[in-house]
Amino acid sequence: MKEKEKNSMSTKNKVLMLTESAVMIAFATVLSIVKIVDMPYGGSVTACSMLPLLIIAYRYGTRWGLLTSFTYGVIQMFLGMDNLSYATSFWAAIAIILLDYFVAFVVLGLGGIFRKITKTQGQALCVASVVTGFLRYLCHTISGCTVWAGMALPTKDALIYSLSYNLTYMLPEIIVLATGAVLVSRLLDFSQTDIKRIVVRKTTSVAAVVLSAVADVALVVSVIVSVVFIAPYLQAEDGTFILKGILLVNWTPVLIALGCGVIVFAVLFVISNVVKKNQTVKK
């Protein structure tokens, strides 16, 4: 009887794992379509499209996370089939598939490693967001300076152009992803079999949590707005990517956006800490 119960529980867990993974892949795919900023030669800032995959890796481990991320990469490849038409050869097409889709998204499965390394769920998902986002950035950069050199990017100084171009959307993407990971971690507990809503304890000030969350959002918004101001200058009239266009950027609105975001973040962060301390003193 005990063996039957164990087998039954094991089957239920596998079904739950498969169901959650399928839902998260679908969720990530939908979020990838919601583009906050869409770059002219591929790449975009999305609404935390990588977060569902990181959550799966966090819940079920690195191996399952890699498999889930691989499946997501296959879906992204089919959605971006138009990019293969630019390949100059069969091997160039293979390189695009591997670097821009398979490897670039499979690395998200490595996010499961940080569950055992860090103390809290929020820290684990935040660090996973930064590390896997950086690895994805490297994949796109390598693809840019090899496969796309002479096509979307100039052959001369292709590495510098690729580093710069991919940074314009991957940096905001990582910031948005890390912030989203921290905010979601304050609402839901993914460490247990059943995902549960995190109830704010009476000892924790709700005002402090809200202020901290608004501070994070303000910083993210300021970075996105800055990218929106800069991106148009990186594309010439003939549609080619031009790094020198950054010299033509009107930096006044960019600095204002960043400055406001940093100031709002700093002020709200300080206020939230003061609220927490006052809450502790009252006890």
Side-chain angles (χ1 to χ4, degrees), residues 40-41 152 154 161 165 230-246 248:
Y41 289 101
Y161 276 83
Y165 179 81
I230 296 173
Y233 292 93
L234 299 178
Q235 186 177 15
E237 294 182 358
D238 60 356
T240 57
F241 174 68
I242 176 169
L243 183 60
K244 293 181 180 179
I246 201 168
L248 303 175

Side-chain angles (χ1 to χ4, degrees), residues 7-231:
N7 292 332
S8 178
M9 288 296 294
S10 178
T11 302
K12 288 182 179 179
N13 290 337
K14 289 181 180 179
V15 171
L16 177 62
M17 188 165 60
L18 287 169
T19 303
E20 280 189 13
S21 299
V23 171
M24 286 300 196
I25 290 173
F27 193 26
T29 302
V30 172
L31 289 177
S32 70
I33 300 174
V34 182
K35 298 179 180 180
I36 302 172
V37 178
D38 194 10
M39 298 299 289
Y41 289 101
S44 59
V45 181
T46 64
C48 296
S49 62
M50 297 187 291
L51 184 55
L53 303 176
L54 293 180
I55 292 174
I56 287 296
Y58 176 83
R59 282 176 59 73
Y60 298 114
T62 304
R63 290 183 180 179
W64 188 257
L66 291 172
L67 179 60
T68 304
S69 299
F70 175 80
T71 305
Y72 175 75
V74 173
I75 294 174
Q76 288 298 307
M77 181 194 69
F78 283 114
L79 292 177
M81 286 297 288
D82 291 343
N83 291 329
L84 298 181
S85 63
Y86 297 102
T88 55
S89 66
F90 170 78
W91 293 112
I94 295 298
I96 291 174
I97 292 173
L98 290 176
L99 291 172
D100 286 329
Y101 295 105
F102 286 176
V103 180
F105 292 110
V106 166
V107 295
L108 298 176
L110 298 175
I113 297 174
F114 301 98
R115 177 170 182 171
K116 297 180 180 180
I117 298 176
T118 55
K119 296 181 179 179
T120 65
Q121 173 182 279
Q123 290 178 355
L125 289 177
C126 183
V127 174
S129 299
V130 175
V131 174
T132 58
F134 178 71
L135 291 176
R136 180 186 162 189
Y137 164 68
L138 289 181
C139 289
H140 293 315
T141 298
I142 294 172
S143 175
C145 67
T146 54
V147 182
W148 294 101
M151 292 189 290
L153 298 178
T155 303
K156 184 179 179 181
D157 297 326
L159 178 59
I160 296 176
Y161 276 83
S162 186
L163 286 168
S164 305
Y165 179 81
N166 288 294
L167 188 64
T168 56
Y169 68 89
M170 279 307 303
L171 179 58
E173 176 78 356
I174 292 172
I175 293 175
V176 172
L177 178 62
T179 303
V182 172
L183 294 177
V184 170
S185 295
R186 293 174 180 175
L187 300 174
L188 299 172
D189 182 9
F190 300 106
S191 60
Q192 306 300 322
T193 302
D194 296 326
I195 300 175
K196 297 181 179 180
R197 184 172 66 88
I198 296 177
V199 180
V200 180
R201 298 178 182 177
K202 293 181 180 180
T203 56
T204 304
S205 172
V206 177
V209 175
V210 172
L211 287 171
S212 180
V214 173
D216 293 338
V217 172
L219 186 60
V220 170
V221 171
S222 67
V223 173
I224 293 175
V225 171
S226 300
V227 173
V228 170
F229 279 121
I230 296 173

Side-chain angles (χ1 to χ4, degrees), residues 253-275:
V254 175
L255 294 176
I256 291 176
L258 284 175
C260 290
V262 171
I263 291 173
V264 172
F265 173 81
V267 171
L268 294 180
F269 181 77
V270 171
I271 294 176
S272 65
N273 285 335
V274 171
V275 172

